[in-house]
Amino acid sequence: MTQGVLRSSARRRLGFAGLVLSLALVLATVLAAFARVSWLADIAVQFRVQFVAGAFLAGALLLLGGRRRWLVVVAAVAALNGWFIADSSRSGDSMAFAWGARPAQAASDARRTSAASGVAIRVAAVNVLYLNDQYPRVLDWIRRAAPDVLAVPEASARWVEQLGTLAVDYPYRRLSASNGRFQTALLSRWPLEDGLAPAFARADNRYVEAVAVIRGERVRVVGVHAVWPLTPAHARLRNAEFAAIAQAAATLREPLILMGDFNSTALSPHFQQQLRGVAGLRSAAAGFGWQPTWPAAWFPVGIQIDHVLVSPSFKVVSFGRGPLVGSDHLPIFADLALPSHLLASRLTQRQ
């Protein structure tokens, strides 16, 4: 009888835990619906993947606790958040999955795949965390990933010095304005044009841009480090940055690549409205599954706030993440191709 009482007590506790978790998920999902107008809701909307995982956990607790009628609630939570996740991850032309691929091997495979299609370009970004002193891990990853162009947010003076050791492979470099602690660095294997009239890199932010002449093709590349939206005021600044990106992107004629730390997932309505909607940019990660990049060592609560965004002229061949390198962010890389027929079309326009 005592064992039966204990089992009954444990069952009630499981059911109660499932009920509490279910109510919390409902409240979080309702809050996320107001992300367009509320700073706190925009924080909540970034974690829809976790809401789905939480719904499955709540469902298991409810089953074990005998509260089956609540299963319809957690099913609705999972379905609703799953729909928004799928919508934010839709892709027009991603060609392959990069999971498990080693950076150097993936680069070689992607460049062979895209060589017949036009100009092949590999880009990468890594927010190194200005307090991070594990320089060899980052530099080794960069050498193995072998991007054509690399963006490095949070490059302290010491990090800028360390990146200088890559000068043989990356002889061309641009730096953003400094905020006293760090800058955003842009490194390139290919020449960067001088005298560029900046469309994105203003003196009051941490963006850096250049036009890289890659295999004869001019490509606008932008290293991004958006404001962290930890307060309503900072969130407004980040959203204003997104609007400025959209406005600038609309004025450009050359192919455009933005890469770095956007401090937002693709689930944010501000990201979707400005960067994907107004600017017409596409995420290179779309179609390649869940790719959390921050916080690097806390996979269960990870979200993707590091992105490569490209203009419609690009085809995305692959997208992937690098290993832990001592930062709170994981590195990212993307293999892109400019199709031959688009190159021919732009050549005709120039003539």
Side-chain angles (χ1 to χ4, degrees):
M1 182 174 177
T2 302
Q3 290 181 347
V5 171
L6 289 175
R7 282 196 295 268
S8 177
S9 176
R11 188 178 183 187
R12 284 196 302 271
R13 289 172 183 170
L14 289 172
F16 180 74
L19 179 60
V20 171
L21 181 55
S22 300
L23 289 173
L25 291 168
V26 168
L27 291 175
T29 300
V30 171
L31 177 63
F34 297 92
R36 194 176 300 278
V37 296
S38 166
W39 153 75
L40 188 60
D42 191 49
I43 296 293
V45 81
Q46 316 284 347
F47 294 91
R48 287 195 187 274
V49 171
Q50 284 76 12
F51 295 170
V52 173
F56 280 97
L57 175 60
L61 292 172
L62 291 169
L63 277 174
L64 293 171
R67 294 180 178 266
R68 295 176 181 271
R69 281 183 287 186
W70 276 84
L71 290 175
V72 67
V73 174
V74 294
V77 168
L80 182 61
N81 285 290
W83 184 87
F84 280 109
I85 293 167
D87 179 66
S88 71
S89 300
R90 69 176 183 265
S91 174
D93 63 358
S94 292
M95 296 167 60
F97 282 81
W99 291 354
R102 294 183 178 180
Q105 183 61 43
S108 177
D109 293 346
R111 284 164 181 160
R112 283 198 298 269
T113 301
S114 57
S117 302
V119 174
I121 302 170
R122 164 165 278 212
V123 297
V126 52
N127 182 326
V128 292
L129 181 61
Y130 72 102
L131 296 174
N132 176 21
D133 61 0
Q134 297 187 38
Y135 310 113
R137 295 176 69 177
V138 174
L139 298 177
D140 179 64
W141 181 81
I142 293 171
R143 292 186 180 99
R144 289 187 294 109
D148 292 295
V149 184
L150 169 73
V152 186
E154 291 202 25
S156 65
R158 180 61 173 157
W159 269 110
V160 170
E161 180 182 336
Q162 289 292 317
L163 293 170
T165 64
L166 301 173
V168 172
D169 293 324
Y170 296 93
Y172 307 98
R173 184 176 74 174
R174 296 285 186 274
L175 294 171
S176 71
S178 172
N179 70 352
R181 292 182 300 170
F182 52 75
Q183 299 170 272
T184 301
L186 194 65
L187 280 64
S188 176
R189 295 179 183 274
W190 301 89
L192 301 178
E193 292 185 350
D194 294 322
L196 174 70
F200 300 90
R202 304 187 304 273
D204 60 344
N205 65 23
R206 299 171 291 178
Y207 291 35
V208 59
E209 68 179 295
V211 169
V213 183
I214 303 175
R215 299 178 179 89
E217 183 65 23
R218 298 177 73 253
V219 178
R220 178 86 58 145
V221 289
V222 184
V224 174
H225 190 193
V227 173
W228 185 316
L230 280 182
T231 67
H234 284 100
R236 287 192 293 271
L237 285 174
R238 187 208 60 186
N239 297 340
E241 289 183 7
F242 288 174
I245 287 174
Q247 182 179 8
T251 67
L252 297 178
R253 299 183 64 181
E254 61 259 3
L256 172 63
I257 304 171
L258 296 106
M259 51 194 170
D261 179 3
F262 287 76
N263 272 310
S264 174
T265 70
L267 290 162
S268 169
H270 304 287
F271 186 103
Q272 293 178 12
Q273 179 182 356
Q274 297 295 336
L275 304 182
R276 198 173 75 178
V278 176
L281 300 170
R282 295 181 298 111
S283 170
F288 291 93
W290 187 40
Q291 300 271 6
T293 61
W294 177 93
W298 292 84
F299 182 79
V301 295
I303 56 178
Q304 186 186 351
I305 62 175
D306 301 88
H307 303 275
V308 173
L309 303 182
V310 298
S311 54
S313 50
F314 286 100
K315 278 190 169 293
V316 179
V317 179
S318 69
F319 179 89
R321 298 170 300 160
L324 292 168
V325 291
S327 172
D328 55 339
H329 292 250
L330 291 177
I332 57 172
F333 63 90
D335 291 294
L336 312 170
L338 278 171
S340 300
H341 69 278
L342 292 177
L343 297 177
S345 174
R346 274 201 304 279
L347 181 60
T348 302
Q349 292 174 0
R350 291 172 189 165
Q351 293 174 341

